[in-house]
Amino acid sequence: QVQLVESGGGLVQAGASLRLSCAASGRTYSGYAMGWFRQAPGKEREFVASISRSGGNIEYADSVKGRFTISRDNANNTGYLQMNSLKLEDTAVYYCAATYRRSDTVVVTGRDYAYWGQGTQVTVSS
C-alpha cells in the first residue's frame, strides 16, 4: 500500500505560480511511477503530467507544456508539480497518483494508477 497526501493548493491570480507537493508513505516510493491529474467542476478527470520511477522520463499534457514542471525526490518520498503562468482554465482539484512499474516508464492513463491522493484545490482568478 502507498498513501499519498497532496498539499500546496490555493487561490491565486492568473499569471501566478504554485507548487503542489505529494507526500508518499508506505512502500518504496522509488519503485513507482507518479502522475498528476486534475478535475474541474462538471468535467472529466484529465491527465496533467507523469514522471517515471527514476525521474528520467516525463510527459505532459499539451495544455500545460512549457508552464508546468513535474519532479520527484525519491530520497524524501515526495513528488512535485510546479505550476507557472497559471490560467483561469487551470482551476481544478489536482490529484497525485502512483503505481508500481518495473520499467522506467511514465503512465498517462488514470485507470492504470493503483493509488490516489485526496486532492488539493487550485483556483485561479482573474
Side-chain angles (χ1 to χ4, degrees):
Q1 286 284 347
V2 174
Q3 293 79 43
L4 303 173
V5 179
E6 302 98 334
S7 61
L11 171 64
V12 296
Q13 290 191 321
S17 297
L18 277 176
R19 188 176 81 156
L20 305 183
S21 298
C22 176
S25 60
R27 297 199 172 192
T28 305
Y29 177 68
S30 60
Y32 289 72
M34 199 197 84
W36 288 93
F37 290 76
R38 66 187 182 186
Q39 188 167 20
K43 295 187 177 181
E44 293 187 352
R45 182 181 64 195
E46 65 173 354
F47 168 76
V48 175
S50 176
I51 187 167
S52 64
R53 49 188 288 171
S54 75
N57 294 295
I58 288 174
E59 188 163 333
Y60 296 99
D62 288 342
S63 59
V64 306
K65 280 181 183 177
R67 300 188 298 120
F68 289 13
T69 302
I70 190 171
S71 62
R72 64 190 298 160
D73 179 352
N74 285 344
N76 291 300
N77 292 343
T78 303
Y80 303 97
L81 185 68
Q82 177 68 43
M83 306 185 294
N84 298 330
S85 303
L86 282 162
K87 303 177 180 180
L88 297 180
E89 53 263 40
D90 294 320
T91 296
V93 177
Y94 284 72
Y95 299 90
C96 70
T99 194
Y100 177 75
R101 279 294 181 269
R102 290 184 179 179
S103 57
D104 197 32
T105 58
V106 298
V107 180
V108 302
T109 304
R111 63 176 179 269
D112 291 333
Y113 280 93
Y115 305 104
W116 293 83
Q118 83 289 350
T120 185
Q121 177 70 47
V122 172
T123 303
V124 184
S125 66
S126 59

